[in-house]
């Protein structure tokens, strides 16, 4: 099986619809494009090569002759001196120019109507005002207080935030406040509190014992007790009383 | 090592000789230009763009063939240059169109519709429209496999991608084309 058949089979497996599409090329190219294209490419490459060669030659020449690629007029350096002198000669002095334009002004040019105090230029020493340099303290108490106040505010905000944000911290603070409250209580208050608590505890005990007794007590009549006692031999009763008596003595001790 | 055709080896050797350089290169262009052209044309759509890219491809081939190593086939090497040049050209066009006010030259779909014989009712043009919907990589893989009937091994050399990834790309591309054709 050649590659074409393999590709077609693969395509049919993936999508029979695409495999059945016509495989013709819808695009068109200009007539004789490929025939002419070779010469176009070769001429392009040659042109590129030629440019590269020219660049190389120019570069070498510039190194060897130490020339620049900027253009200069012919014999520029030879004629430069003469051109410069001609330029200087053409520039007129101020007096020459003024004599041409207004000859009457030349005599007035040197006369100055303004006067200055005698010896002004000799005595006039320009006093430069001594500059007051403002010493800037790097460490200032005023600033320190400001920063401290700012830090306190930030700290307070932070603590408040922590208290409100973290739910776990609340009970700790609460318990701490309870402790503080208990610390503020007087001794009498504490005694009263403990007595009250004890009474409450006793009441609870009584309630508990009453409850138990009510469950445990059985109504016994005299007859029943007599029957029960008659069932017990005298000797046994005597021993029991004696034992109870010993027991009572032990408890009294 | 890749098996070169004896003809290609002769052409490469001829190119490396000064007296036969130009004639050998002419023969290389003559041999591969059409295949390279159509690969480029399917990517950039218009003839003028394809012509520009192809000239760049062969100018690069002229400059690089001197150092061409025998670890790839000549045609594979030319194809790789063609793919890279086409992608670069399309990228440049995207940048240019994003700068230009009218945004011309951006949409390949528009370029396709401006082709001389374009007919959306014809299956061949519908297939081309479907191909233009594909992501760039899938479009290249589909064109190389479907039109140029290139093997996955060779394609992996051109695109520098694993065979498995190429097979997956081709499969997705075909499925997307099928979906487009059935629903348009």
């Amino acid at each position: 099986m050649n590659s074409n058949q393999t590709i077609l089979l693969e395509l049919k497996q993936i999508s029979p619809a695409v495999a059945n599409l016509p495989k013709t090329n819808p695009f068109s190219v200009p007539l004789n494009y490929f025939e002419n294209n070779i010469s176009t490419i070769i001429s392009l490459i040659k042109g590129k090569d030629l440019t590269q060669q020219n660049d190389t030659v120019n570069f070498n020449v510039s190194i060897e002759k130490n020339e620049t690629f900027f253009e200069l007029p012919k014999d520029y350096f030879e004629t430069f001196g003469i051109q410069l002198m001609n330029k200087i000669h053409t520039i007129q002095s101020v007096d020459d120019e003024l004599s041409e334009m207004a000859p009457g002004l030349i005599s007035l040019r040197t006369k100055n109507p303004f006067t200055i105090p005698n010896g002004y230029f000799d005595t006039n020493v320009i006093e430069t005002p001594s500059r007051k340099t403002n010493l800037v303290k790097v460490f200032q108490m005023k600033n320190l207080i400001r920063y401290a106040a700012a830090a306190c505010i930030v700290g307070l905000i932070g603590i408040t935030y922590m208290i409100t944000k973290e739910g776990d911290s609340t009970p700790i603070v609460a318990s701490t406040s309870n402790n503080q409250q208990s610390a503020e209580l007087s001794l009498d208050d504490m005694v009263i509190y403990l007595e009250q608590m004890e009474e409450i505890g006793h009441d609870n005990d009584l309630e508990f014992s009453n409850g138990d007794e009510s469950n445990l007590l059985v109504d016994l009549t005299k007859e029943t007790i007599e029957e029960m006692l008659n069932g017990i031999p005298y000797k046994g009763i005597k021993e029991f009383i004696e034992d109870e008596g010993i027991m009572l003595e032990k408890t009294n001790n | 090592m890749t098996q070169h055709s004896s003809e290609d080896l002769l052409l490469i050797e001829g190119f490396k000789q000064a007296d036969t350089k130009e004639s050998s290169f002419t023969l290389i262009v003559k041999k591969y230009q059409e295949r390279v052209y159509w690969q480029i044309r399917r990517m950039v759509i218009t003839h003028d763009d394809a012509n520009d890219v192809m000239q760049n491809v062969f100018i690069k081939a002229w400059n690089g063939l001197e150092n061409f190593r025998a670890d790839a086939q000549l045609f594979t090497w030319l194809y790789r240059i063609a793919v890279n040049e086409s992608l670069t050209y399309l990228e440049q066009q995207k940048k240019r169109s994003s700068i230009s006010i009218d945004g011309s030259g951006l949409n390949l779909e528009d370029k396709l519709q401006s082709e001389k014989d374009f007919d959306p009712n014809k299956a061949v043009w519908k297939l081309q429209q479907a191909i233009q919907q594909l992501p760039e990589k899938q479009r290249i893989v589909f064109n190389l496999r479907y039109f140029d009937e290139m093997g996955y091994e060779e394609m992996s050399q051109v695109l520098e991608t694993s065979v498995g990834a190429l097979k997956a790309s081709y499969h997705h591309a075909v499925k997307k084309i099928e979906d487009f054709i059935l629903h348009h």
Side-chain angles (χ1 to χ4, degrees):
Chain A
M1 194 183 285
N2 62 28
S3 65
N4 298 2
Q5 287 173 323
T6 313
I7 291 166
L8 189 66
L9 194 69
E10 181 196 32
L11 192 61
K12 276 181 180 172
Q13 283 173 350
I14 300 169
S15 170
V18 178
N20 289 331
L21 286 171
K23 218 173 177 178
T24 49
N25 186 1
F27 299 107
S28 58
V29 286
L31 199 70
N32 299 325
Y33 169 72
F34 292 112
E35 285 76 9
N36 300 328
N37 188 49
I38 300 165
S39 57
T40 311
I41 289 167
I42 296 295
S43 63
L44 270 169
I45 289 163
K46 275 187 171 180
K48 211 175 171 66
D49 264 18
L50 205 66
T51 317
Q52 282 173 354
Q53 279 173 4
N54 286 340
D55 286 350
T56 315
V57 169
N58 286 339
F59 182 73
N60 289 337
V61 167
S62 69
I63 295 294
E64 284 170 14
K65 292 187 177 176
N66 195 22
E67 286 177 351
T68 63
F69 289 99
F70 297 108
E71 285 187 4
L72 286 171
K74 198 178 176 185
D75 300 329
Y76 173 75
F77 290 110
E78 285 78 7
T79 57
F80 179 75
I82 300 159
Q83 282 178 5
L84 184 69
M85 289 313 292
N86 288 337
K87 189 88 178 175
I88 289 165
H89 288 307
T90 54
I91 296 169
Q92 291 176 317
S93 66
V94 176
D95 286 344
D96 290 343
E97 188 184 48
L98 201 63
S99 64
E100 280 179 15
M101 289 168 71
L105 288 175
I106 296 170
S107 58
L108 295 173
R109 191 169 166 257
T110 52
K111 289 176 182 174
N112 192 351
F114 302 104
T115 55
I116 51 165
N118 287 333
Y120 173 74
F121 290 110
D122 300 329
T123 56
N124 187 32
V125 179
I126 300 165
E127 289 180 1
T128 52
S130 59
R131 280 187 180 179
K132 280 188 176 179
T133 51
N134 293 327
L135 290 171
V136 180
K137 288 179 182 177
V138 178
F139 179 80
Q140 285 184 328
M141 196 64 189
K142 199 177 175 182
N143 287 339
L144 187 71
I145 292 163
R146 280 180 187 172
Y147 293 137
C152 287
I153 291 162
V154 170
L156 280 170
I157 292 164
I159 290 162
T160 313
Y161 175 76
M162 291 283 282
I163 291 163
T164 51
K165 182 81 179 176
E166 293 177 21
D168 295 340
S169 62
T170 313
I172 296 163
V173 176
S175 67
T176 313
S177 61
N178 283 341
N179 290 339
Q180 283 174 345
Q181 281 177 355
S182 65
E184 287 168 4
L185 289 169
S186 65
L187 190 64
D188 295 335
D189 293 336
M190 287 174 75
V191 169
I192 292 162
Y193 172 75
L194 288 168
E195 283 173 356
Q196 283 175 350
M197 290 302 292
E198 200 173 0
E199 281 173 12
I200 292 162
H202 281 301
D203 291 344
N204 288 339
D205 290 345
L206 284 167
E207 279 171 15
F208 179 70
S209 61
N210 288 340
D212 282 352
E213 280 175 0
S214 63
N215 291 332
L216 294 169
L217 284 174
V218 182
D219 288 333
L220 295 170
T221 57
K222 283 182 178 179
E223 290 78 21
T224 316
I225 295 163
E226 278 178 8
E227 281 177 16
M228 285 171 72
L229 289 169
N230 289 333
I232 301 164
Y234 177 74
K235 194 180 175 182
I237 294 165
K238 196 182 176 181
E239 284 175 0
F240 174 76
I241 291 164
E242 283 174 2
D243 288 344
E244 282 293 307
I246 293 161
M247 282 169 72
L248 284 166
E249 281 174 8
K250 279 183 180 173
T251 48
N252 287 335
N253 289 337
Chain B
M1 190 173 150
T2 312
Q3 289 288 317
H4 287 269
S5 72
S6 55
E7 191 186 350
D8 282 356
L9 282 173
L10 281 171
L11 289 171
I12 294 161
E13 284 304 311
F15 181 82
K16 288 177 181 176
Q17 307 295 321
D19 53 338
T20 54
K21 185 170 184 167
E22 197 179 309
S23 58
S24 299
F25 191 74
T26 306
L27 288 171
I28 290 168
V29 175
K30 202 172 183 178
K31 187 178 178 184
Y32 290 118
Q33 64 168 347
E34 283 197 43
R35 289 177 75 182
V36 170
Y37 173 84
W38 288 116
Q39 170 59 25
I40 297 165
R41 181 75 187 269
R42 286 186 204 105
M43 284 183 76
V44 298
I45 304 297
T46 67
H47 169 73
D48 290 339
D49 291 345
N51 185 43
D52 286 349
V53 175
M54 195 159 85
Q55 285 175 0
N56 291 339
V57 168
F58 281 106
I59 287 167
K60 285 209 167 181
W62 172 273
N63 292 328
L65 204 58
E66 196 77 46
N67 302 316
F68 177 71
R69 290 174 299 163
D71 56 357
Q73 279 198 45
L74 181 58
F75 177 64
T76 309
W77 182 68
L78 285 170
Y79 248 47
R80 197 191 298 172
I81 299 171
V83 168
N84 289 334
E85 282 297 310
S86 303
L87 291 174
T88 308
Y89 192 84
L90 289 172
E91 197 62 36
Q92 284 172 349
Q93 277 201 330
K94 267 186 197 174
K95 281 178 186 169
R96 255 182 259 139
S97 62
S98 64
I99 295 163
S100 69
I101 298 162
D102 59 348
S104 58
L106 172 67
N107 200 343
L108 291 171
E109 174 77 26
D110 293 341
K111 283 184 176 182
L112 192 71
Q113 288 178 14
S114 65
E115 278 293 299
K116 198 177 83 179
D117 301 320
F118 180 77
D119 184 356
N121 298 318
K122 284 185 177 174
V124 283
W125 287 108
K126 200 172 264 188
L127 175 63
Q128 285 301 323
Q129 278 184 303
I131 293 166
Q132 300 317 313
Q133 312 299 318
L134 296 173
E136 201 168 66
K137 188 74 181 282
Q138 287 179 18
R139 188 150 37 97
I140 296 164
V141 172
F142 183 82
N143 282 336
L144 288 174
R145 185 79 177 155
Y146 184 80
F147 292 109
D148 296 321
E149 295 175 343
M150 192 181 273
Y152 285 117
E153 289 292 339
E154 195 178 2
M155 212 190 294
S156 75
Q157 286 183 354
V158 173
L159 301 175
E160 291 176 334
T161 314
S162 69
V163 171
L166 291 171
K167 282 181 180 175
S169 287
Y170 183 67
H171 188 273
H172 286 301
V174 172
K175 282 290 172 193
K176 282 177 188 173
I177 288 166
E178 182 189 51
D179 187 61
F180 182 90
I181 285 165
L182 293 174
H183 294 98
H184 285 82

